[in-house]
Amino acid sequence: MAGMDGFGTQLMRGDGAEPEVYVKIADVTSLNPPGISRETIDVTSHDSPDAWMEFVGGLKDPGEVSADVNYQPDKHDLLVSDFEDDKPRNYQIVFPDADETTWTFPAILTGFEPETPYDDKASASLTWKVSGKPVIGTGV
């Protein structure tokens, strides 16, 4: 069978201790892992074969992570301290595949947007900027 059900994916927050212990961020309803990208450097010259432009790989951007949660102040307001911190904190995404694939990365919380409409659930949207290379591993 092709594909994987995303249900059960977990977003974890590191405690900064040695060794690092990760605690699940509660009530995540939607999660977008880092969207990595890479710049290219134009190395085209007058000698480029058949007048085709040539490129080499440049800097890599680790992207951003975003998540939506069912907002509960007692479970989510500790993340505001991450917003106040100038240094990246370690986070981890654990996927629900057989190997429990993990993406571990340092990131800075750049956005925390709670919403409490009168006719719907309280929610919050969070955004992190990843700083450095995500480490892909397995939990099994």
Side-chain angles (χ1 to χ4, degrees), residues 81-137:
S81 66
D82 295 357
F83 182 82
E84 293 291 337
D85 196 351
D86 293 335
K87 296 172 87 176
R89 172 180 288 276
N90 288 327
Y91 292 88
Q92 187 176 71
I93 296 172
V94 181
F95 294 92
D97 61 330
D99 293 331
E100 293 183 341
T101 300
T102 59
W103 282 40
T104 304
F105 49 90
I108 299 167
L109 183 64
T110 59
F112 185 102
E113 300 178 35
E115 181 180 15
T116 57
Y118 74 89
D119 61 347
D120 203 355
K121 67 182 180 186
S123 62
S125 295
L126 301 105
T127 306
W128 292 265
K129 177 62 181 170
V130 179
S131 177
K133 180 180 180 178
V135 177
I136 299 174

Side-chain angles (χ1 to χ4, degrees), residues 49-73:
D50 300 319
W52 283 95
M53 294 179 75
E54 298 178 281
F55 299 88
V56 295
L59 292 173
K60 300 166 193 156
D61 184 339
E64 291 185 336
V65 171
S66 62
D68 294 325
V69 298
N70 290 327
Y71 177 56
Q72 298 177 62

Side-chain angles (χ1 to χ4, degrees), residues 37-44 54-61:
S37 63
R38 185 173 189 168
E39 295 181 3
T40 57
I41 300 169
D42 185 348
V43 295
T44 307
E54 298 178 281
F55 299 88
V56 295
L59 292 173
K60 300 166 193 156
D61 184 339

